[in-house]
PDB file of all heavy atoms in Angstrom:
ATOM      1  N   GLU L 357     -16.476 -14.216  10.815  1.00 91.00           N
ATOM      2  CA  GLU L 357     -17.193 -15.453  10.765  1.00 91.00           C
ATOM      3  C   GLU L 357     -17.998 -15.593   9.476  1.00 91.00           C
ATOM      4  O   GLU L 357     -17.953 -16.626   8.821  1.00 91.00           O
ATOM      5  CB  GLU L 357     -18.156 -15.589  11.997  1.00 91.00           C
ATOM      6  CG  GLU L 357     -18.749 -16.979  12.128  1.00 91.00           C
ATOM      7  CD  GLU L 357     -19.478 -17.114  13.470  1.00 91.00           C
ATOM      8  OE1 GLU L 357     -20.328 -16.254  13.700  1.00 91.00           O
ATOM      9  OE2 GLU L 357     -19.237 -18.074  14.144  1.00 91.00           O
ATOM     10  N   PHE L 358     -18.698 -14.536   9.092  1.00 91.00           N
ATOM     11  CA  PHE L 358     -19.479 -14.564   7.858  1.00 91.00           C
ATOM     12  C   PHE L 358     -18.540 -14.760   6.666  1.00 91.00           C
ATOM     13  O   PHE L 358     -18.886 -15.508   5.739  1.00 91.00           O
ATOM     14  CB  PHE L 358     -20.318 -13.311   7.704  1.00 91.00           C
ATOM     15  CG  PHE L 358     -21.380 -13.444   6.624  1.00 91.00           C
ATOM     16  CD1 PHE L 358     -22.478 -14.250   6.800  1.00 91.00           C
ATOM     17  CD2 PHE L 358     -21.241 -12.692   5.476  1.00 91.00           C
ATOM     18  CE1 PHE L 358     -23.432 -14.367   5.778  1.00 91.00           C
ATOM     19  CE2 PHE L 358     -22.198 -12.848   4.469  1.00 91.00           C
ATOM     20  CZ  PHE L 358     -23.294 -13.610   4.612  1.00 91.00           C
ATOM     21  N   LEU L 359     -17.411 -14.102   6.787  1.00 91.00           N
ATOM     22  CA  LEU L 359     -16.404 -14.224   5.697  1.00 91.00           C
ATOM     23  C   LEU L 359     -15.897 -15.644   5.594  1.00 91.00           C
ATOM     24  O   LEU L 359     -15.712 -16.157   4.484  1.00 91.00           O
ATOM     25  CB  LEU L 359     -15.258 -13.248   6.019  1.00 91.00           C
ATOM     26  CG  LEU L 359     -14.303 -12.851   4.948  1.00 91.00           C
ATOM     27  CD1 LEU L 359     -15.122 -12.224   3.791  1.00 91.00           C
ATOM     28  CD2 LEU L 359     -13.348 -11.794   5.468  1.00 91.00           C
ATOM     29  N   ALA L 360     -15.718 -16.247   6.747  1.00 91.00           N
ATOM     30  CA  ALA L 360     -15.209 -17.624   6.757  1.00 91.00           C
ATOM     31  C   ALA L 360     -16.228 -18.655   6.190  1.00 91.00           C
ATOM     32  O   ALA L 360     -15.869 -19.780   5.858  1.00 91.00           O
ATOM     33  CB  ALA L 360     -14.873 -18.054   8.165  1.00 91.00           C
ATOM     34  N   SER L 361     -17.489 -18.243   6.066  1.00 91.00           N
ATOM     35  CA  SER L 361     -18.512 -19.184   5.462  1.00 91.00           C
ATOM     36  C   SER L 361     -18.455 -19.158   3.960  1.00 91.00           C
ATOM     37  O   SER L 361     -19.117 -19.963   3.281  1.00 91.00           O
ATOM     38  CB  SER L 361     -19.909 -18.754   5.924  1.00 91.00           C
ATOM     39  OG  SER L 361     -20.321 -17.596   5.270  1.00 91.00           O
ATOM     40  N   MET L 362     -17.601 -18.300   3.406  1.00 92.00           N
ATOM     41  CA  MET L 362     -17.422 -18.262   1.973  1.00 92.00           C
ATOM     42  C   MET L 362     -16.654 -19.554   1.520  1.00 92.00           C
ATOM     43  O   MET L 362     -16.008 -20.172   2.381  1.00 92.00           O
ATOM     44  CB  MET L 362     -16.670 -17.018   1.493  1.00 92.00           C
ATOM     45  CG  MET L 362     -17.310 -15.750   1.822  1.00 92.00           C
ATOM     46  SD  MET L 362     -18.821 -15.424   0.908  1.00 92.00           S
ATOM     47  CE  MET L 362     -20.035 -15.470   2.207  1.00 92.00           C
ATOM     48  N   PRO L 363     -16.662 -19.863   0.259  1.00 92.00           N
ATOM     49  CA  PRO L 363     -15.967 -21.114  -0.111  1.00 92.00           C
ATOM     50  C   PRO L 363     -14.457 -20.989  -0.147  1.00 92.00           C
ATOM     51  O   PRO L 363     -13.821 -21.058  -1.215  1.00 92.00           O
ATOM     52  CB  PRO L 363     -16.534 -21.429  -1.542  1.00 92.00           C
ATOM     53  CG  PRO L 363     -17.222 -20.148  -1.975  1.00 92.00           C
ATOM     54  CD  PRO L 363     -17.471 -19.304  -0.813  1.00 92.00           C
ATOM     55  N   ILE L 364     -13.916 -20.756   0.976  1.00 91.00           N
ATOM     56  CA  ILE L 364     -12.443 -20.644   1.115  1.00 91.00           C
ATOM     57  C   ILE L 364     -12.089 -21.384   2.400  1.00 91.00           C
ATOM     58  O   ILE L 364     -12.906 -21.598   3.303  1.00 91.00           O
ATOM     59  CB  ILE L 364     -11.945 -19.182   1.220  1.00 91.00           C
ATOM     60  CG1 ILE L 364     -12.757 -18.432   2.335  1.00 91.00           C
ATOM     61  CG2 ILE L 364     -12.117 -18.426  -0.047  1.00 91.00           C
ATOM     62  CD1 ILE L 364     -12.159 -17.098   2.735  1.00 91.00           C
ATOM     63  N   THR L 365     -10.787 -21.695   2.486  1.00 91.00           N
ATOM     64  CA  THR L 365     -10.318 -22.306   3.743  1.00 91.00           C
ATOM     65  C   THR L 365      -9.968 -21.168   4.711  1.00 91.00           C
ATOM     66  O   THR L 365      -9.778 -20.017   4.296  1.00 91.00           O
ATOM     67  CB  THR L 365      -9.105 -23.214   3.498  1.00 91.00           C
ATOM     68  OG1 THR L 365      -8.015 -22.335   2.963  1.00 91.00           O
ATOM     69  CG2 THR L 365      -9.376 -24.311   2.506  1.00 91.00           C
ATOM     70  N   ARG L 366      -9.744 -21.487   5.911  1.00 90.00           N
ATOM     71  CA  ARG L 366      -9.370 -20.512   6.881  1.00 90.00           C
ATOM     72  C   ARG L 366      -7.936 -19.952   6.585  1.00 90.00           C
ATOM     73  O   ARG L 366      -7.647 -18.807   6.766  1.00 90.00           O
ATOM     74  CB  ARG L 366      -9.429 -21.100   8.280  1.00 90.00           C
ATOM     75  CG  ARG L 366      -9.306 -20.009   9.323  1.00 90.00           C
ATOM     76  CD  ARG L 366      -9.543 -20.557  10.701  1.00 90.00           C
ATOM     77  NE  ARG L 366     -10.971 -20.737  11.052  1.00 90.00           N
ATOM     78  CZ  ARG L 366     -11.475 -20.564  12.220  1.00 90.00           C
ATOM     79  NH1 ARG L 366     -10.637 -20.236  13.229  1.00 90.00           N
ATOM     80  NH2 ARG L 366     -12.715 -20.806  12.479  1.00 90.00           N
ATOM     81  N   ARG L 367      -7.159 -20.886   6.013  1.00 92.00           N
ATOM     82  CA  ARG L 367      -5.794 -20.444   5.598  1.00 92.00           C
ATOM     83  C   ARG L 367      -5.875 -19.355   4.526  1.00 92.00           C
ATOM     84  O   ARG L 367      -5.139 -18.355   4.546  1.00 92.00           O
ATOM     85  CB  ARG L 367      -4.976 -21.607   5.102  1.00 92.00           C
ATOM     86  CG  ARG L 367      -3.541 -21.323   4.888  1.00 92.00           C
ATOM     87  CD  ARG L 367      -2.821 -22.471   4.263  1.00 92.00           C
ATOM     88  NE  ARG L 367      -3.402 -22.840   3.006  1.00 92.00           N
ATOM     89  CZ  ARG L 367      -3.189 -23.944   2.354  1.00 92.00           C
ATOM     90  NH1 ARG L 367      -2.420 -24.852   2.889  1.00 92.00           N
ATOM     91  NH2 ARG L 367      -3.804 -24.196   1.201  1.00 92.00           N
ATOM     92  N   ASP L 368      -6.840 -19.554   3.620  1.00 92.00           N
ATOM     93  CA  ASP L 368      -7.000 -18.528   2.525  1.00 92.00           C
ATOM     94  C   ASP L 368      -7.346 -17.183   3.166  1.00 92.00           C
ATOM     95  O   ASP L 368      -6.838 -16.162   2.771  1.00 92.00           O
ATOM     96  CB  ASP L 368      -8.175 -18.940   1.566  1.00 92.00           C
ATOM     97  CG  ASP L 368      -7.835 -20.188   0.784  1.00 92.00           C
ATOM     98  OD1 ASP L 368      -6.649 -20.474   0.617  1.00 92.00           O
ATOM     99  OD2 ASP L 368      -8.765 -20.902   0.352  1.00 92.00           O
ATOM    100  N   LEU L 369      -8.310 -17.240   4.098  1.00 91.00           N
ATOM    101  CA  LEU L 369      -8.714 -16.022   4.742  1.00 91.00           C
ATOM    102  C   LEU L 369      -7.537 -15.318   5.445  1.00 91.00           C
ATOM    103  O   LEU L 369      -7.318 -14.086   5.302  1.00 91.00           O
ATOM    104  CB  LEU L 369      -9.788 -16.341   5.758  1.00 91.00           C
ATOM    105  CG  LEU L 369     -10.333 -15.251   6.655  1.00 91.00           C
ATOM    106  CD1 LEU L 369     -10.918 -14.112   5.864  1.00 91.00           C
ATOM    107  CD2 LEU L 369     -11.344 -15.761   7.616  1.00 91.00           C
ATOM    108  N   TYR L 370      -6.706 -16.107   6.105  1.00 93.00           N
ATOM    109  CA  TYR L 370      -5.551 -15.571   6.785  1.00 93.00           C
ATOM    110  C   TYR L 370      -4.567 -14.958   5.791  1.00 93.00           C
ATOM    111  O   TYR L 370      -4.006 -13.859   6.016  1.00 93.00           O
ATOM    112  CB  TYR L 370      -4.892 -16.738   7.557  1.00 93.00           C
ATOM    113  CG  TYR L 370      -3.736 -16.378   8.452  1.00 93.00           C
ATOM    114  CD1 TYR L 370      -3.943 -15.756   9.705  1.00 93.00           C
ATOM    115  CD2 TYR L 370      -2.403 -16.593   8.031  1.00 93.00           C
ATOM    116  CE1 TYR L 370      -2.858 -15.426  10.493  1.00 93.00           C
ATOM    117  CE2 TYR L 370      -1.366 -16.264   8.862  1.00 93.00           C
ATOM    118  CZ  TYR L 370      -1.582 -15.675  10.101  1.00 93.00           C
ATOM    119  OH  TYR L 370      -0.517 -15.325  10.901  1.00 93.00           O
ATOM    120  N   LEU L 371      -4.354 -15.686   4.685  1.00 94.00           N
ATOM    121  CA  LEU L 371      -3.345 -15.196   3.703  1.00 94.00           C
ATOM    122  C   LEU L 371      -3.826 -13.982   2.953  1.00 94.00           C
ATOM    123  O   LEU L 371      -3.026 -13.141   2.680  1.00 94.00           O
ATOM    124  CB  LEU L 371      -3.028 -16.355   2.705  1.00 94.00           C
ATOM    125  CG  LEU L 371      -2.157 -17.482   3.256  1.00 94.00           C
ATOM    126  CD1 LEU L 371      -1.962 -18.557   2.208  1.00 94.00           C
ATOM    127  CD2 LEU L 371      -0.800 -16.951   3.721  1.00 94.00           C
ATOM    128  N   VAL L 372      -5.141 -13.935   2.667  1.00 93.00           N
ATOM    129  CA  VAL L 372      -5.669 -12.774   1.871  1.00 93.00           C
ATOM    130  C   VAL L 372      -5.322 -11.483   2.604  1.00 93.00           C
ATOM    131  O   VAL L 372      -4.829 -10.519   2.038  1.00 93.00           O
ATOM    132  CB  VAL L 372      -7.182 -12.890   1.709  1.00 93.00           C
ATOM    133  CG1 VAL L 372      -7.798 -11.548   1.301  1.00 93.00           C
ATOM    134  CG2 VAL L 372      -7.523 -13.948   0.619  1.00 93.00           C
ATOM    135  N   ARG L 373      -5.551 -11.439   3.886  1.00 93.00           N
ATOM    136  CA  ARG L 373      -5.360 -10.196   4.645  1.00 93.00           C
ATOM    137  C   ARG L 373      -3.869  -9.974   4.960  1.00 93.00           C
ATOM    138  O   ARG L 373      -3.446  -8.792   5.054  1.00 93.00           O
ATOM    139  CB  ARG L 373      -6.211 -10.177   5.887  1.00 93.00           C
ATOM    140  CG  ARG L 373      -7.711 -10.302   5.435  1.00 93.00           C
ATOM    141  CD  ARG L 373      -8.686  -9.765   6.381  1.00 93.00           C
ATOM    142  NE  ARG L 373      -9.960  -9.634   5.615  1.00 93.00           N
ATOM    143  CZ  ARG L 373     -10.937  -8.891   6.014  1.00 93.00           C
ATOM    144  NH1 ARG L 373     -10.876  -8.197   7.114  1.00 93.00           N
ATOM    145  NH2 ARG L 373     -12.015  -8.780   5.264  1.00 93.00           N
ATOM    146  N   LEU L 374      -3.148 -11.036   5.030  1.00 94.00           N
ATOM    147  CA  LEU L 374      -1.689 -10.872   5.195  1.00 94.00           C
ATOM    148  C   LEU L 374      -1.089 -10.274   3.917  1.00 94.00           C
ATOM    149  O   LEU L 374      -0.363  -9.287   3.983  1.00 94.00           O
ATOM    150  CB  LEU L 374      -1.028 -12.226   5.471  1.00 94.00           C
ATOM    151  CG  LEU L 374       0.476 -12.230   5.656  1.00 94.00           C
ATOM    152  CD1 LEU L 374       0.874 -11.458   6.945  1.00 94.00           C
ATOM    153  CD2 LEU L 374       1.019 -13.652   5.765  1.00 94.00           C
ATOM    154  N   LEU L 375      -1.491 -10.820   2.769  1.00 94.00           N
ATOM    155  CA  LEU L 375      -0.980 -10.335   1.461  1.00 94.00           C
ATOM    156  C   LEU L 375      -1.435  -8.916   1.204  1.00 94.00           C
ATOM    157  O   LEU L 375      -0.660  -8.083   0.644  1.00 94.00           O
ATOM    158  CB  LEU L 375      -1.459 -11.217   0.352  1.00 94.00           C
ATOM    159  CG  LEU L 375      -0.726 -12.613   0.328  1.00 94.00           C
ATOM    160  CD1 LEU L 375      -1.346 -13.483  -0.831  1.00 94.00           C
ATOM    161  CD2 LEU L 375       0.761 -12.498   0.082  1.00 94.00           C
ATOM    162  N   ALA L 376      -2.698  -8.572   1.599  1.00 93.00           N
ATOM    163  CA  ALA L 376      -3.132  -7.217   1.371  1.00 93.00           C
ATOM    164  C   ALA L 376      -2.261  -6.213   2.145  1.00 93.00           C
ATOM    165  O   ALA L 376      -1.909  -5.166   1.578  1.00 93.00           O
ATOM    166  CB  ALA L 376      -4.600  -7.079   1.879  1.00 93.00           C
ATOM    167  N   GLY L 377      -1.898  -6.558   3.346  1.00 93.00           N
ATOM    168  CA  GLY L 377      -1.001  -5.706   4.149  1.00 93.00           C
ATOM    169  C   GLY L 377       0.377  -5.616   3.513  1.00 93.00           C
ATOM    170  O   GLY L 377       1.027  -4.541   3.488  1.00 93.00           O
ATOM    171  N   VAL L 378       0.884  -6.768   3.052  1.00 94.00           N
ATOM    172  CA  VAL L 378       2.199  -6.786   2.407  1.00 94.00           C
ATOM    173  C   VAL L 378       2.222  -5.890   1.180  1.00 94.00           C
ATOM    174  O   VAL L 378       3.164  -5.108   0.988  1.00 94.00           O
ATOM    175  CB  VAL L 378       2.599  -8.244   2.027  1.00 94.00           C
ATOM    176  CG1 VAL L 378       3.808  -8.266   1.144  1.00 94.00           C
ATOM    177  CG2 VAL L 378       2.830  -9.076   3.346  1.00 94.00           C
ATOM    178  N   LEU L 379       1.160  -6.013   0.367  1.00 94.00           N
ATOM    179  CA  LEU L 379       1.092  -5.121  -0.792  1.00 94.00           C
ATOM    180  C   LEU L 379       1.070  -3.672  -0.381  1.00 94.00           C
ATOM    181  O   LEU L 379       1.681  -2.804  -1.028  1.00 94.00           O
ATOM    182  CB  LEU L 379      -0.181  -5.385  -1.623  1.00 94.00           C
ATOM    183  CG  LEU L 379      -0.195  -6.672  -2.475  1.00 94.00           C
ATOM    184  CD1 LEU L 379      -1.478  -6.800  -3.235  1.00 94.00           C
ATOM    185  CD2 LEU L 379       0.958  -6.643  -3.491  1.00 94.00           C
ATOM    186  N   THR L 380       0.384  -3.403   0.695  1.00 93.00           N
ATOM    187  CA  THR L 380       0.313  -2.001   1.204  1.00 93.00           C
ATOM    188  C   THR L 380       1.710  -1.488   1.585  1.00 93.00           C
ATOM    189  O   THR L 380       2.058  -0.332   1.372  1.00 93.00           O
ATOM    190  CB  THR L 380      -0.654  -1.904   2.370  1.00 93.00           C
ATOM    191  OG1 THR L 380      -1.883  -2.523   2.002  1.00 93.00           O
ATOM    192  CG2 THR L 380      -0.919  -0.446   2.747  1.00 93.00           C
ATOM    193  N   THR L 381       2.499  -2.406   2.226  1.00 93.00           N
ATOM    194  CA  THR L 381       3.878  -2.001   2.570  1.00 93.00           C
ATOM    195  C   THR L 381       4.682  -1.629   1.346  1.00 93.00           C
ATOM    196  O   THR L 381       5.384  -0.633   1.321  1.00 93.00           O
ATOM    197  CB  THR L 381       4.621  -3.074   3.380  1.00 93.00           C
ATOM    198  OG1 THR L 381       4.750  -4.215   2.515  1.00 93.00           O
ATOM    199  CG2 THR L 381       3.877  -3.496   4.612  1.00 93.00           C
ATOM    200  N   PHE L 382       4.536  -2.466   0.298  1.00 94.00           N
ATOM    201  CA  PHE L 382       5.316  -2.181  -0.878  1.00 94.00           C
ATOM    202  C   PHE L 382       4.823  -0.873  -1.550  1.00 94.00           C
ATOM    203  O   PHE L 382       5.651  -0.064  -2.034  1.00 94.00           O
ATOM    204  CB  PHE L 382       5.234  -3.343  -1.911  1.00 94.00           C
ATOM    205  CG  PHE L 382       6.188  -4.460  -1.631  1.00 94.00           C
ATOM    206  CD1 PHE L 382       5.870  -5.452  -0.720  1.00 94.00           C
ATOM    207  CD2 PHE L 382       7.433  -4.460  -2.186  1.00 94.00           C
ATOM    208  CE1 PHE L 382       6.769  -6.442  -0.424  1.00 94.00           C
ATOM    209  CE2 PHE L 382       8.356  -5.458  -1.867  1.00 94.00           C
ATOM    210  CZ  PHE L 382       8.018  -6.450  -0.981  1.00 94.00           C
ATOM    211  N   ALA L 383       3.535  -0.686  -1.620  1.00 93.00           N
ATOM    212  CA  ALA L 383       2.975   0.530  -2.280  1.00 93.00           C
ATOM    213  C   ALA L 383       3.411   1.782  -1.468  1.00 93.00           C
ATOM    214  O   ALA L 383       3.801   2.772  -2.031  1.00 93.00           O
ATOM    215  CB  ALA L 383       1.452   0.461  -2.386  1.00 93.00           C
ATOM    216  N   SER L 384       3.220   1.681  -0.125  1.00 91.00           N
ATOM    217  CA  SER L 384       3.569   2.838   0.703  1.00 91.00           C
ATOM    218  C   SER L 384       5.042   3.188   0.593  1.00 91.00           C
ATOM    219  O   SER L 384       5.433   4.356   0.451  1.00 91.00           O
ATOM    220  CB  SER L 384       3.269   2.541   2.184  1.00 91.00           C
ATOM    221  OG  SER L 384       1.936   2.124   2.324  1.00 91.00           O
ATOM    222  N   SER L 385       5.889   2.174   0.653  1.00 91.00           N
ATOM    223  CA  SER L 385       7.338   2.373   0.489  1.00 91.00           C
ATOM    224  C   SER L 385       7.628   2.994  -0.821  1.00 91.00           C
ATOM    225  O   SER L 385       8.469   3.878  -0.941  1.00 91.00           O
ATOM    226  CB  SER L 385       8.125   1.064   0.659  1.00 91.00           C
ATOM    227  OG  SER L 385       7.756   0.457   1.840  1.00 91.00           O
TER     228      SER L 385
END
Side-chain angles (χ1 to χ4, degrees):
Chain L
E357 191 172 51
F358 192 70
L359 199 56
S361 74
M362 299 293 114
I364 52 168
T365 61
R366 192 172 280 214
R367 191 185 57 195
D368 295 335
L369 175 60
Y370 185 78
L371 286 177
V372 162
R373 300 203 164 200
L374 179 65
L375 288 176
V378 168
L379 284 182
T380 310
T381 63
F382 276 88
S384 306
S385 306

